[in-house]
Amino acid sequence: AEMERTFIAIKPDGVQRGLISEIVSRFERKGYKLVAIKLVVPSKQFAEKHYHDLKERPFFSGLCDFLSSGPVLAMVWEGEGVIKYGRKLIGATDPSKSEPGTIRGDLAVVVGRNIIHGSDGPETATRRSGSTV
Ligand code: DAT
Ligand code: MG
């Protein structure tokens, strides 16, 4: 795998539940390098852009309301294979199906409150980590 960067964000539920250090430390302990970090409250418009691929889904509006409901910790992490392996650390989208040992598997219960976002490929990773979030 090549050196690359990915966009990772702790969603409002993760920040509110006090899970920042727990989540950051999992990426640090793995050996990835934190290259940018910023606490932001995304606008609804930003959330709609971020999740535009899901705009036809019934949960889209609720998802965007949720993402813009409070502080989000936006981060860029760097390392060999970090895009794919970062998704592995995060676990499956639905925390009721995520494996124990993953962030969602250990720390979340329902899909609508799954505490963390991770880019799923080079295109989205570049788009987000190059943006001003
Ligand atoms: P991921 O966040 O694992 O990349 P995704 O891109 O398919 O998953 O969906 C983005 C977010 O949308 C996901 O983190 C939580 C929410 N979501 C996905 N499927 C959902 C569903 N069936 N009901 C409610 N929210 C859902
Ligand atoms: Mg996704």
Side-chain angles (χ1 to χ4, degrees):
E2 287 173 29
M3 188 64 68
E4 57 189 24
R5 290 182 169 187
T6 194
F7 174 67
I8 302 289
I10 303 178
K11 297 179 185 182
D13 55 336
V15 173
Q16 209 233 327
R17 288 178 54 204
L19 296 174
I20 288 175
S21 62
E22 165 76 36
I23 292 169
V24 166
S25 76
R26 290 186 182 214
F27 279 84
E28 285 181 330
R29 282 152 57 205
K30 174 66 181 169
Y32 296 131
K33 181 182 169 191
L34 182 62
V35 295
I37 186 165
K38 186 177 178 181
L39 197 65
V40 293
V41 182
S43 63
K44 177 108 192 250
Q45 192 186 19
F46 181 91
E48 286 168 351
K49 234 192 267 175
H50 175 76
Y51 281 129
H52 76 274
D53 292 347
L54 299 169
K55 63 179 181 300
E56 307 302 337
R57 307 295 294 275
F59 56 81
F60 179 70
S61 182
L63 174 65
C64 295
D65 281 337
F66 166 59
L67 193 74
S68 58
S69 68
V72 165
L73 192 71
M75 298 174 281
V76 178
W77 287 89
E78 182 183 274
E80 285 189 25
V82 68
I83 299 175
K84 200 165 168 212
Y85 206 93
R87 296 273 296 183
K88 213 161 166 173
L89 290 179
I90 288 170
T93 301
D94 181 348
S96 71
K97 301 191 180 89
S98 315
E99 293 297 326
T102 66
I103 291 166
R104 286 168 174 164
D106 289 348
L107 305 171
V109 178
V110 294
V111 70
R113 295 291 183 272
N114 64 3
I115 68 172
I116 182 166
H117 167 81
S119 292
D120 58 7
E123 198 271 324
T124 46
T126 305
R127 182 151 50 88
R128 288 290 162 242
S129 57
S131 77
T132 54
V133 287

